[in-house]
Amino acid sequence: MRRTNFKKSVLATSIAVVLTSSSPSLAIAAEETNADDNIEIIEVTGIRASSKASINQKRFATSQVDGITAEDIGKLPDVTIADSLQRITGVQITRSAGEGGTIAIRGLPQVGTTMNGEVFLSATTIDTSGANFGDLPAQLFSGLEVFKSAEASRSAKGISGSVDLKTRRPFDMDTGWTFNAAAEASQGSISEETDPNFNGLVSFNNDKFGVLFSAAKQQATLATDYNGYFDTSEDGGIGAANNSHTWGAGPNSGDIRHVVPQGFAAFNKQEERDRDAFQLSVQADLGEGFTLTADAFYSKQERFNNRSGFSQNNRWQSFNDYAFPSDGFTDDTPFTDDDGNEWRGVNAFDMKSYRMQSFTQVNINEEESQNYNLQLDYDNGGALTGGVRMTRAKAEASMRHAYGEGDILSIDQGTLVTGPGGLAPASYCNNGEEIVGDQGGCFAQYSQGIQDQFMLNYDARGEHPHFSGFNQMVNGGKGMRSVGDYMSDLDSYHVGAFSSEGNTDDVGEINTFSTAWNYAFDDMSFITSVDFGVRYEERKVDHDQFTYTSEFGGGCDIAQWKAVDQFYGDECVGVDGAGEMVDGEWTPYTLLAPTRLDEHTSVSYQTDFGNVTGIPGVWVIDPENFRDPRQFQKDVFGNVQRVENAGRTYDVNLNEFSYFLQANFEEGIFSGNFGVKVVETEQYVKQNLVGPSLPHSGLNPDIGDVVTERDYTDVLPSINVAAAVTDDVILRAAYAKNMMPLNLGALGGGKSVGKVFNEECGCLRVVEGSLAGSPDLDPWRSTNYSVSAEWYNGDASMMFISAFNIDIESFVGSGTVMIDEPDDDGVKRGPWPFSTPVQAEGGSIKGLELGARVAFDDFIDVPVLSNFGLDANYTYSDSTQDSDLAKDVYGSDLPFPGMSEDTYNFVLWYEQEDFSTRLAWNSVSPRLITTGGAGVGGQTLYQDTYSQLDFSATYNLNEMFSFYVYGSNILEEYQQTYLENSSQKAFQNVYEARWTLGARMTF
């Protein structure tokens, strides 16, 4: 075994080469003048070489850094960027549709992201400040770096760290032409769809001029099965859950309070994604030390996200008389709330027959981003090096939503459902109904559904939930039959509601200009060089949220919810077609008269609910009907309008001017840097003032604008020190003050009011609300400390340990304020809880990182065994929020949202000349998702421990052709969530296994 000593005096020639390695033929050289036998060549063409390059990234970095280098062109170690990042110590990811999306470093999602060292804009993060790689194909990147300590000279922001994504450039490639192409087919175990993917690269480099073009075209059908609390948000949540004493004690509430969800559901989610992306890079050596680089990165994706299935819920009629413990409470420790009420957990419920329904929901996302970079670098071999750089980025994202319900119960007889039971025009009175109106109107029969009261059961005590009670015999429009038989009969269904709400249009723009320079000293023993520069960044975001409404009654009424429980308002009294006289009194029609489920849509019978058992099946609207939500609304209701939701619409501009000075030093075994960066921020926020809610909607109209302008300055010092105590051992220490802007919605969001129908007033009553933003909130600020020890004990092996402490000085937490918002009839019956972001001060994250990378041939020379290697790491993070609001129900400090205390990674790989394979296991302990409001007793929603095993294998036929297979989540693990205690289960996301088979050609 040969080892090469990498001496500090060669860093100027070796670090840059190491950190930009990516091509299979690109040599990474560490050399000392007149010492040719110290030259080491590292070709990045396999797992071992990729691991070795990543180790060198860490070893020669000027701060605390971890990195991943692609094993070959178009081949990061995992299918997605986020999945690769989760292998790095201290990095956690969250999943959506089973794929990795947002990330957190050392427990915090406030992570800055750059591309080739400068900020870029993704269409999935237009108005947020975190990192999400959902629209970026991994095949276009040569590697990435995770910075866990700050340097004044870097442009990236972040509280706990930052990520720099690296694309290829032509001067990184071999001289001459390089071609690479790959074709793949992927399939999921739930969707069972086969999806094609293609990517390729072509590059020319003659050392004076180079051009590189790479592109990827991907299609994917990602499927997830959901079950538990009824919530149709992207990844599930507490939803509208309340408790057994909401609106007072019910007849069976008892003395002990427990959570009562708004309903229970089981459905399948699928996301069809079509993504195109390309990167173009041109470089020219202009002579005299000048190099010009121009980059363009473009990404566009369309996502058709649909879900359909079964829901049993309370139709907003009751919580205290809807669902009851069917077999007592859980064994977890009870708690007592501030009012002295005892709370217990429940996993098995008996549910009254308020509403049984099918539903279909669609979200259509179109996302497009463009990032351009132009830089002129200068290095003529003298003391002064540097350059100027301009970037321009623009991104647009739109989301269109559609929703349709199929109610199964007949709503005019027998059942607990009291609505609509409203008046219908004479044209619907042809089933023997009693004529009550002077124009022939009646209280029409909506379907041949169930007319008896009955109870269903939901039991989540097993691994997966079980529904029961569908074999009960009930009376209905077709006589005595079982509940299941009525569910299988399409005649039992009527449309409960159509809507298209929460639609969004986002436009974002980031422009930067920067100039940064380094001056190296020859005659100073301690300060070796200084970095200095200035930078200007302009960021603009326009966020619009709106609903498609339709006019009824010749324009006398307008509705977001075209539903059976919505009636023409007072403005329509006497309007032809809006109602008629009943017993001498004007009575309005329901907005949505009796409508068969298949009257405006195609339907199908769904029996697949994943691992949930007991549900016989339901008729659902085919999601394809909602491909164009606006046109669907227009076709069904004859007209459609776009109405802004003023409380969720805003404009935010952030302008930053920063300048920095950093000194780099080396003395004996010590090296590092210290410096300061000053960031002057100007903030412009335009919010809408909102008026009273419009009828038949959750919309608050815009009644004016309020503009808030403010500025603030952050002085951010940083120190990084490394001590090479031996040739193989490096000790590091770092200190920095960090700042990160808030998600822009926390600055610009307005007021929204949540209402439900209440029989006592015959109106929509306020139950909750939100104040989504405040322009006076300060950004995240922290003081970070970290120390580490690194032992490079082999050619491609190392071990390390790190300890860190992050003192959070200011951040945004979740709070609740009480507001007496009037109900729809104008009466104030509150106050009611409104959630709102609040300024919080004080908090900390302390932790430990342990890791090792081992190539067995560094230590043994045994056939077969020498071909193995492993990567293993563990992160411990302990966080607390120093706020009276951030307490759990037992009075203990809550961690920061998204935080898992324990994160484990283990990767075992094998590689020989023609074949390589890799098993990668990741596991995270429970993480906090969100805190609950007063309705659930302040209980907190957590994701339980989640583990996933991934697999890959590659066979190299020759130097040009290779074949590979990827397997993601091959054990088909699922995400279990719980409310406060692990035995009180909330919902599950059951992710599919995905397999990819591909072939690659490089020459």
Side-chain angles (χ1 to χ4, degrees), residues 163-176:
V163 176
D164 185 35
L165 304 177
K166 295 182 176 297
T167 62
R168 290 177 174 80
R169 286 169 168 169
F171 282 0
D172 300 333
M173 309 299 290
D174 248 352
T175 301

Side-chain angles (χ1 to χ4, degrees), residues 589-602:
Y589 295 140
T590 60
L591 288 184
L592 187 64
T595 305
R596 284 180 57 91
L597 190 65
D598 59 350
E599 183 171 336
H600 301 290
T601 62
S602 60

Side-chain angles (χ1 to χ4, degrees), residues 170-240:
F171 282 0
D172 300 333
M173 309 299 290
D174 248 352
T175 301
W177 289 94
T178 301
F179 297 92
N180 175 275
E184 301 174 351
S186 298
Q187 187 176 87
S189 60
I190 297 177
S191 69
E192 299 182 347
E193 295 286 339
T194 301
D195 304 307
N197 298 294
F198 304 94
N199 64 84
L201 174 147
V202 58
S203 172
F204 173 76
N205 173 25
N206 67 1
D207 296 330
K208 290 294 184 181
F209 174 80
V211 59
L212 181 149
F213 179 81
S214 60
K217 183 173 183 60
Q218 300 175 330
Q219 293 181 356
T221 304
L222 309 172
T224 305
D225 290 323
Y226 177 96
N227 62 73
Y229 291 2
F230 184 36
D231 185 296
T232 60
S233 57
E234 182 57 38
D235 297 304
I238 299 175

Side-chain angles (χ1 to χ4, degrees), residues 87-140:
R87 314 296 176 199
I88 291 179
T89 316
V91 176
Q92 301 168 353
I93 69 172
T94 57
R95 296 186 177 276
S96 181
E99 284 196 342
T102 58
I103 74 164
I105 297 177
R106 290 175 170 174
L108 290 177
Q110 284 69 38
V111 176
T113 311
T114 56
M115 183 183 292
N116 299 319
E118 184 53 272
V119 65
F120 79 104
L121 188 58
S122 164
T124 54
T125 54
I126 288 178
D127 58 352
T128 62
S129 297
N132 186 326
F133 307 108
D135 64 337
L136 301 177
Q139 294 85 349
L140 298 191

Side-chain angles (χ1 to χ4, degrees), residues 748-770:
K751 180 171 70 174
S752 296
V753 182
K755 299 180 180 181
V756 301
F757 182 80
N758 184 268
E759 189 176 347
E760 292 181 9
C761 69
C763 67
L764 289 171
R765 282 184 54 177
V766 177
V767 293
E768 60 184 358
S770 67

